[in-house]
Amino acid sequence: MTNAPSSTVPALSTPHMETARRALALIFLCNGTLFATWAVNIPGVRDRLHLNAAEVGLAVLAIGLGSLVTMPLTGGWTARFGSHRVTRVCAVACMLTLLLPFLAPNLITLVVALTLLGAANGALDVSMNAQGVTVERRIGQPIMSRLHASFSLGGVLGALLGTLLVGNVPMLAHVGLVVAATTLAGLLAGRLLLPDLPLEEAVPGAPQASTWSPAVLLLGALCFLGMLAEGANYDWAALYFRDVLGLTEGRAGIGYAAFVTTMTLGRWFGDRLRGRLGDEGIVRGGAVVTALGLALALLVREPLLATLGFALSGLGLSNVVPVLYGAAGHALAGPGIARVATIGYTGFLLGPPIIGFLAGIVGLPAALGLALAGAALVALLGGQTFALLRPPASEK
């Protein structure tokens, strides 16, 4: 006998549902703060353990590999125990495991620690997005983009805090402060999340996501392509401005800053736009904007226009993954988000190194064309994908 979410879900007041939305947004924000805290302290960990660039790369890769282990499993956990319970446990586990890399005495233990951090984060990524779909259904309006905007805001908060503390306080004190604050927030917020709706009520007539159905594969492919383009912007924008456009070290981050800023703003206002354009419109339209932005940046190669291009890319991509996660949760029975998220995250993990490999052969501008092609494919395949998710006319 499993501990499946109860088939009798109590009616909730609007204030209760709004409280749940804010609690979940806080968990997303804490998750973003956590990863920004790790990112700003990577140089300190490198220096403390005397690592070279290849060893740092191996350590960072461990986070992604750990996530890929737990992501496919979390769909089953949420189906059995409820996304609210899994999110609550994984949020606390994720915050606590941030301490482990900073306690590691050597490269081997660092890789193990980061694998555990990645595993906890992969499970949290799937479960909190599944909970987002539950809250979205209860409220009756789109909220997924705003939740992902909270993650981005958490990254900004973590980066700002790191700017103040890194080099001024001991690294372990900085991390300990973040872990204590985010763990407490996770414990409090986790108690306010909502139980899932019964499957037959939540997804009537849905294709079974426990198999690799065409809907799962196509949604996963769109997520893969979208996250490949996102990872390319994150990891290669600054190098493109420095090595290709010739900007100085201090100004080379302008393209990255433009991308992150418009992505955050696009997510903050994306739910309203999603309500007007629909899921298919915002995914395909966003992909077109991304492709045009990258084409402008890669073909014109003038710093001001390239900055505009990366800004357009961030704006276009801002709602692609949140909407695809939401579509998976709404339209697929079983662990739909888990399978789609796993395929998508593979693109985020593999995309940047593939572009790096290609850059060594054909140059960085041509290699970044892979991200442009990915965005164009999202626009082309989006219609077929969303057509598969629409219920038959008799069920509308």
Side-chain angles (χ1 to χ4, degrees), residues 18-381:
E18 182 61 22
T19 297
R21 184 194 66 78
R22 292 175 179 173
L24 186 58
L26 179 59
I27 291 175
F28 272 80
L29 184 139
C30 288
N31 191 224
T33 304
L34 177 149
F35 271 94
T37 301
W38 159 247
V40 299
N41 281 290
I42 288 175
V45 173
R46 178 200 60 193
D47 294 343
R48 182 174 66 85
L49 299 182
H50 309 290
L51 305 178
N52 58 39
E55 290 169 333
V56 172
L58 173 64
V60 171
L61 180 63
I63 298 176
L65 295 178
S67 294
L68 288 178
V69 171
T70 54
M71 277 182 161
L73 303 174
T74 310
W77 298 339
T78 58
R80 181 175 184 180
F81 301 110
S83 65
H84 59 308
R85 296 190 183 98
V86 179
T87 299
R88 185 189 312 164
V89 171
C90 291
V92 173
C94 192
M95 308 313 162
L96 290 176
T97 51
L98 177 62
L99 271 176
L100 299 180
F102 298 93
L103 299 174
N106 52 50
L107 176 61
I108 294 176
T109 53
L110 177 65
V111 169
V112 172
L114 289 174
T115 301
L116 292 174
L117 174 61
N121 180 70
L124 177 60
D125 187 277
V126 171
S127 61
M128 69 184 182
N129 277 284
Q131 173 64 193
V133 172
T134 291
V135 177
E136 190 171 75
R137 287 196 188 105
R138 295 292 193 91
I139 291 179
Q141 61 185 28
I143 66 165
M144 293 296 287
S145 291
R146 184 68 67 92
L147 290 175
H148 283 253
S150 297
F151 176 88
S152 299
L153 288 175
V156 173
L157 178 63
L160 291 175
L161 185 63
T163 301
L164 293 174
L165 298 184
V166 171
N168 295 318
V169 302
M171 186 164 54
L172 203 55
H174 171 198
V175 176
L177 173 66
V178 172
V179 168
T182 55
T183 301
L184 178 61
L187 283 169
L188 295 175
R191 298 173 62 86
L192 302 173
L193 302 180
L194 302 181
D196 298 328
L197 291 167
L199 187 60
E200 63 275 9
E201 179 183 343
V203 198
Q208 188 56 247
S210 59
T211 61
W212 292 104
S213 65
V216 170
L217 292 174
L218 277 171
L219 270 175
L222 294 188
C223 226
F224 178 95
L225 294 168
M227 295 189 81
L228 182 151
E230 193 174 321
N233 279 273
Y234 276 123
D235 289 5
W236 291 102
L239 283 173
Y240 179 76
F241 274 74
R242 189 186 67 186
D243 296 348
V244 177
L245 302 184
L247 271 66
T248 61
E249 192 82 28
R251 298 177 58 208
I254 187 172
Y256 173 84
F259 173 79
V260 172
T261 299
T262 55
M263 172 164 277
T264 303
L265 289 172
R267 286 178 170 174
W268 192 257
F269 296 103
D271 290 321
R272 191 175 305 171
L273 187 63
R274 181 182 168 197
R276 294 179 181 177
L277 300 180
D279 288 357
E280 180 179 345
I282 203 168
V283 168
R284 299 184 72 186
V288 170
V289 171
T290 298
L292 291 175
L294 287 174
L296 177 65
L298 299 177
L299 296 177
V300 177
R301 301 193 190 181
E302 192 280 324
L304 182 60
L305 291 177
T307 301
L308 175 61
F310 276 91
L312 289 172
S313 178
L315 186 64
L317 283 172
S318 59
N319 294 295
V320 170
V321 172
V323 170
L324 290 174
Y325 276 15
H330 283 292
L332 300 175
I337 286 182
R339 292 191 180 274
V340 170
T342 303
I343 299 172
Y345 193 77
T346 304
F348 193 81
L349 183 65
L350 297 181
I354 289 173
I355 288 173
F357 174 76
L358 291 175
I361 301 172
V362 298
L364 184 55
L368 284 172
L370 184 64
L372 192 162
L377 281 173
V378 170
L380 290 173
L381 295 175

